[in-house]
Amino acid sequence: MQKQSSCNHFSKYKLEQIGNIIKTNFTKCDNAKQYKCESDVEKWLCIECGFFGCSRNSNNQCSLKHNQQTDHPLSINNSSFAIWCYVCDNDLESIIEETDNKAQKEKINKFVDNMKNLLFKKTKQNKSDQTIQQFQQIQQQQPLNQETKQQVPQQLNYTLKQVFGLRNLGNTCFFNSVMQCLNATQSLNQFYLDFKKYNFSSYNNNVENDEDDDWTTVESNKQIKQQMRPKSSKLSINQVYQNFLINSRKSKGLVDPVDLFKSVQAVQGRFRSMAQQDASELLRCLLDALSTGEENTHIGRINKIKTNGKPKRTIVENVFGSYLCNYLECLDCGFISRTFDFCLDYTVQIRKPKGLINQRFQQEYSEIQSEELNDVIVPYLHNSILVQKNNNPPKIYQQKQYNLSVIDCLDAFTEYEELNQKNNFFKCEQCAKQGKKSGRALRKFFFYDLPQVATIILKRFQQKSAGRFEKVTEQVEIPETIYLEDYTILKGEPSQTIEEIKAQKFQYQLYGVVVHQGTMTGGHYVSYVKHRENNQDHWFYFSDSNFKEVSLKQALSNQAYILFYERV
């Protein structure tokens, strides 16, 4: 993605004209009577006509719909005074940070300051010496209705040590948004924050390849190890990440991540251009670098259990790693093949399932017979028996805010797909041995050996005709809790029955959301992250150096790109 150009949509407005249309009383949405709008959501004021409506994070999205009907580009939030440009799909303060032109920066800054002062004067009804900051605090602390009080925890009146903003180094919002989610990944950071037990400073250049390294070549392993600590640095990327976590908790609300970002650049040259990058690619590259770097320190491999195939050896692999089982069944001869591939995330398309059923299976669950696993490399099988759910009919929800949910996307990712001459032509090895022609098969993906943190990437950027990429802007409902057992090949003891094995539950709780705002040609990354304090969950919104506490509803009502779920 290219860098977003500066915004000029504010230049046509004059303060005198805006002052004449601004109301002095901000309470209900202008459409409240007609659509029964919620009272406890953020509201925005159209700078062009004065329409006052619910935010895009509400059920009715009145402000967004108003923009779509009128093409009025700018709205201002009545409590935070943030100004949103619908054309640029970004707030003006974020655009200021990404603008290189100093003269344009000054123009936008002047407009933002003037708008804040104007709205403040119009809405100030208390003491004459009240400041903008005091007014914003009062607006944000307005009483909630009884139903909302039961759902929303008391907001904190202090900043948690693990909550801080990250300085934008120049188009690095993609990096900052991912780092905020990793900063809240307790199952990973418990190792890095325990620096007395896990000190990553000892770098070992003479790590020998064990006998289970057949999944990668020794030559490529050496090449990666040389990248983990460039000649210009005395620290491995693991130690830099460890220092980042430890030092950030001593900060006073703002952290400069330059050392960690430089370490990422040293490992992956694609991030040296300082252009806007893909957050999911950054996440994969960083986790791969941390994983390989772990093996080159004295900590080495925390999981030394031998297994077939790619093992989970490092902290990163044990936290984020799992396997995708690719199931193929030839419809001509009935031959079944399975392959198990290691992965650190699940990338799913934004679509509903088609509902194709495998007619061969009469029972909902069945044990995978040993003869079906001949010549199949199954990691961590040992003496276990495997049970699979044969068909996943699409789930029906009585209440769903949006047309599509993350569960729909998971159902679509793991449903049966027919391969034929028109769609991903399939050639069966068994039919070929018998001199027969084949071309029809059923394919399905299963999860296997689930991770502690399930990272789900929604494919927002998809290739269309003529190699052109487009952003998928459809809103996807995000559940706070998901269960993954229906998509998983389950393991059990030989003494267990299928009923006992299928009773296993794999519950995951959401704690991080990376959101991309804007289009393919320009945009901005933000994140919503959960931190716990006093046995209560508190959600925070992060946009580079800016952060604030928000409700769970606000965190779930965005165009999510990357979702972080932790196993309960």
Side-chain angles (χ1 to χ4, degrees), residues 54-69:
C54 308
S55 74
R56 65 171 64 194
N57 297 330
S58 66
N59 289 333
N60 293 333
Q61 299 181 315
C62 293
S63 289
L64 178 61
K65 291 177 181 177
H66 173 74
N67 161 258
Q68 293 170 345
Q69 294 168 359

Side-chain angles (χ1 to χ4, degrees), residues 323-341:
Y323 301 87
L324 270 181
C325 173
N326 186 2
Y327 171 95
L328 282 170
E329 177 186 340
C330 179
L331 294 178
D332 294 314
C333 71
F335 177 71
I336 295 174
S337 67
R338 291 181 176 87
T339 56
F340 290 79
D341 299 312

Side-chain angles (χ1 to χ4, degrees), residues 276-439:
Q276 183 68 281
Q277 301 281 350
D278 187 355
S280 66
E281 291 182 4
L282 178 278
L283 175 63
R284 291 192 184 110
C285 290
L286 178 57
L287 293 181
D288 283 339
L290 289 175
S291 181
T292 307
E294 283 178 42
E295 298 188 56
N296 301 335
T297 67
H298 76 281
I299 295 173
R301 303 170 180 176
I302 64 168
N303 185 357
K304 299 183 179 180
I305 300 175
K306 300 292 183 180
T307 184
N308 294 324
K310 167 72 175 74
K312 296 182 180 181
R313 302 182 300 190
T314 64
I315 296 171
V316 167
E317 290 175 348
N318 277 272
V319 171
F320 293 92
S322 66
Y323 301 87
L324 270 181
C325 173
N326 186 2
Y327 171 95
L328 282 170
E329 177 186 340
C330 179
L331 294 178
D332 294 314
C333 71
F335 177 71
I336 295 174
S337 67
R338 291 181 176 87
T339 56
F340 290 79
D341 299 312
F342 182 78
C343 63
L344 291 173
D345 58 62
Y346 306 125
T347 301
V348 300
Q349 288 187 339
I350 300 176
R351 68 173 181 88
K352 287 186 175 182
K354 298 176 183 178
L356 179 62
I357 301 298
N358 190 336
Q359 301 294 340
R360 184 172 69 87
F361 294 107
Q362 302 299 320
Q363 296 178 330
E364 184 180 15
Y365 288 86
S366 63
E367 179 184 346
I368 300 176
Q369 301 300 317
S370 57
E371 56 266 22
E372 293 184 35
L373 298 176
N374 290 338
D375 301 323
V376 179
I377 300 175
V378 185
Y380 301 107
L381 176 61
H382 305 304
N383 296 320
S384 304
I385 61 173
L386 302 180
V387 171
Q388 71 179 33
K389 187 174 183 180
N390 297 315
N391 288 294
N392 279 341
K395 299 175 180 60
I396 300 175
Y397 298 93
Q398 298 299 325
Q399 294 182 345
K400 191 161 63 173
Q401 181 176 349
Y402 303 111
N403 186 47
L404 193 65
S405 76
V406 171
I407 303 301
D408 292 324
C409 299
L410 288 173
D411 287 345
F413 178 69
T414 57
E415 72 175 341
Y416 284 100
E417 175 190 14
E418 182 173 346
L419 308 182
N420 50 48
Q421 293 183 356
K422 295 182 180 180
N423 177 36
N424 295 324
F425 181 76
F426 169 74
K427 185 176 181 180
C428 175
E429 296 179 4
Q430 197 72 12
C431 289
K433 291 179 181 179
Q434 299 174 4
K436 299 178 181 179
K437 291 184 178 181
S438 66

Side-chain angles (χ1 to χ4, degrees), residues 12-13 48 65-74 87:
K12 69 175 183 177
Y13 297 109
E48 187 154 334
K65 291 177 181 177
H66 173 74
N67 161 258
Q68 293 170 345
Q69 294 168 359
T70 64
D71 288 330
H72 295 169
L74 299 181
V87 180

Side-chain angles (χ1 to χ4, degrees), residues 40-160:
D40 59 326
V41 297
E42 287 185 338
K43 297 179 181 65
W44 294 75
L45 178 76
C46 176
I47 290 177
E48 187 154 334
C49 69
F51 176 82
F52 189 60
C54 308
S55 74
R56 65 171 64 194
N57 297 330
S58 66
N59 289 333
N60 293 333
Q61 299 181 315
C62 293
S63 289
L64 178 61
K65 291 177 181 177
H66 173 74
N67 161 258
Q68 293 170 345
Q69 294 168 359
T70 64
D71 288 330
H72 295 169
L74 299 181
S75 288
I76 185 169
N77 187 287
N78 71 304
S79 59
S80 68
F81 296 155
I83 301 175
W84 187 268
C85 178
Y86 288 98
V87 180
C88 299
D89 200 18
N90 205 352
D91 65 278
L92 292 193
E93 291 189 351
S94 296
I95 292 175
I96 291 171
E97 291 186 8
E98 298 178 6
T99 301
D100 294 330
N101 190 310
K102 291 185 178 180
Q104 186 68 6
K105 275 180 180 283
E106 292 177 0
K107 288 182 181 179
I108 303 176
N109 255 324
K110 184 178 179 180
F111 178 79
V112 170
D113 290 340
N114 288 339
M115 279 302 306
K116 286 182 178 180
N117 289 324
L118 177 62
L119 187 61
F120 173 63
K121 290 176 182 178
K122 285 283 185 176
T123 54
K124 185 177 68 172
Q125 299 177 356
N126 297 319
K127 298 179 180 179
S128 58
D129 60 345
Q130 185 186 38
T131 65
I132 290 181
Q133 289 76 17
Q134 290 170 336
F135 172 78
Q136 288 176 296
Q137 290 177 358
I138 292 173
Q139 289 289 99
Q140 293 171 356
Q141 294 172 3
Q142 287 181 351
L144 303 173
N145 59 43
Q146 192 62 33
E147 181 182 0
T148 305
K149 284 182 179 179
Q150 295 173 359
Q151 296 175 352
V152 181
Q154 180 67 37
Q155 282 205 349
L156 298 170
N157 56 7
Y158 58 92
T159 301
L160 301 177

